[in-house]
Amino acid sequence: EAGVAQSPRYKIIEKRQSVAFWCNPISGHATLYWYQQILGQGPKLLIQFQNNGVVDDSQLPKDRFSAERLKGVDSTLKIQPAKLEDSAVYLCASRASGQGRDNEQFFGPGTRLTVL
Amino acid sequence: AQTVTQSQPEMSVQEAETVTLSCTYDTSESDYYLFWYKQPPSRQMILVIRQEAYKQQNATENRFSVNFQKAAKSFSLKISDSQLGDAAMYFCAYRSAFNNNDMRFGAGTRLTVKP
């Protein structure tokens, strides 16, 4: 079974530029998450989708961050314009329905963003 | 709000020895899940072990086991017979049983395994 795919793996931009990250969840997983992981910290949830609807975006800085999950499969996360403090690893995770161990979150390899 | 605390930024262990990573959490909820995730340099977060709060029996997964002390709100991870491949960042995480999107991670512990 293929895992969660993310691209690009690395991105370097200058402040005030725009950037977009892509995530392809595990096939059949209805729930998709975007996390921000700043160096030396644990991941922090930015947004959660259930199919193509937003469940929780309370920690998403909506003045500069946006995300969408058209058709309930792939998702993109955009930052426009980027700030120095946005330098972090952006992790995507997906989860199937149900409560068993196999229904926990599976993570992608992340995108490391450096803002200069 | 729920918080997760990992008080050991770094730990090291000799290959084949046993190491314990500490985690405490704060919650007013009675039902929840606790996790240990491993994040190697490749950055892929891998679920190591999961504990359901309503189960008294400590979870085990091969060389990995937990010591879950619900009253003390403590959830430590024991790695037995440590291997070089165990070297990674380890994150403790909490998820509410009532709110599936409320997942909180600790700051992580970097584990080094010495040959």
Side-chain angles (χ1 to χ4, degrees), chain B:
Chain B
Q2 293 80 14
T3 57
V4 178
T5 303
Q6 293 178 251
S7 59
Q8 306 155 317
E10 296 184 359
M11 290 284 285
S12 66
V13 63
Q14 205 71 33
E15 193 176 6
E17 297 294 312
T18 296
V19 64
T20 299
L21 307 184
S22 301
C23 174
T24 59
Y25 58 95
D26 185 30
T27 184
S28 58
E29 296 180 333
S30 58
D31 198 11
Y32 47 87
Y33 299 88
L34 296 166
F35 309 87
W36 279 98
Y37 279 90
K38 171 185 177 182
Q39 187 178 42
S42 66
R43 299 198 304 266
Q44 189 108 26
M45 295 277 279
I46 302 165
L47 177 61
V48 175
I49 201 164
R50 181 181 95 146
Q51 175 79 40
E52 294 147 327
Y54 64 87
K55 290 188 175 179
Q56 292 185 337
Q57 186 173 8
N58 288 325
T60 62
E61 290 284 347
N62 301 313
R63 297 183 296 107
F64 298 87
S65 61
V66 298
N67 184 2
F68 173 46
Q69 301 289 329
K70 191 173 184 179
K73 296 180 182 175
S74 170
F75 183 61
S76 61
L77 174 69
K78 185 172 80 171
I79 306 174
S80 304
D81 185 24
S82 297
Q83 300 175 0
L84 295 178
D86 294 334
M89 284 291 291
Y90 285 82
F91 291 95
C92 179
Y94 168 105
R95 178 168 66 80
S96 168
F98 307 103
N99 183 356
N100 283 333
N101 43 297
D102 192 9
M103 187 113 166
R104 305 296 175 103
F105 288 84
T109 296
R110 181 175 301 281
L111 178 66
T112 302
V113 182
K114 300 177 181 177

Side-chain angles (χ1 to χ4, degrees), chain A residues 7-82:
Chain A
S7 68
R9 293 295 308 274
Y10 304 90
K11 190 72 177 178
I12 300 174
I13 62 173
E14 295 187 350
K15 60 182 179 182
R16 290 188 289 273
Q17 285 187 322
S18 301
V19 65
F21 313 126
W22 173 82
C23 173
N24 188 338
I26 292 173
S27 178
H29 281 196
T31 308
L32 184 147
Y33 310 80
W34 282 102
Y35 289 87
Q36 180 191 58
Q37 185 178 16
I38 293 173
L39 185 64
Q41 299 180 19
K44 183 187 81 172
L45 180 68
L46 291 175
I47 189 168
Q48 177 188 346
F49 292 93
Q50 182 74 19
N51 297 308
N52 61 348
V54 175
V55 174
D56 183 2
D57 63 357
S58 58
Q59 298 192 80
L60 187 73
K62 298 181 187 63
D63 58 335
R64 298 182 301 105
F65 285 65
S66 64
E68 61 181 10
R69 191 184 183 197
L70 300 176
K71 301 180 182 179
V73 181
D74 294 6
S75 177
T76 56
L77 176 69
K78 297 179 182 178
I79 308 175
Q80 181 180 358

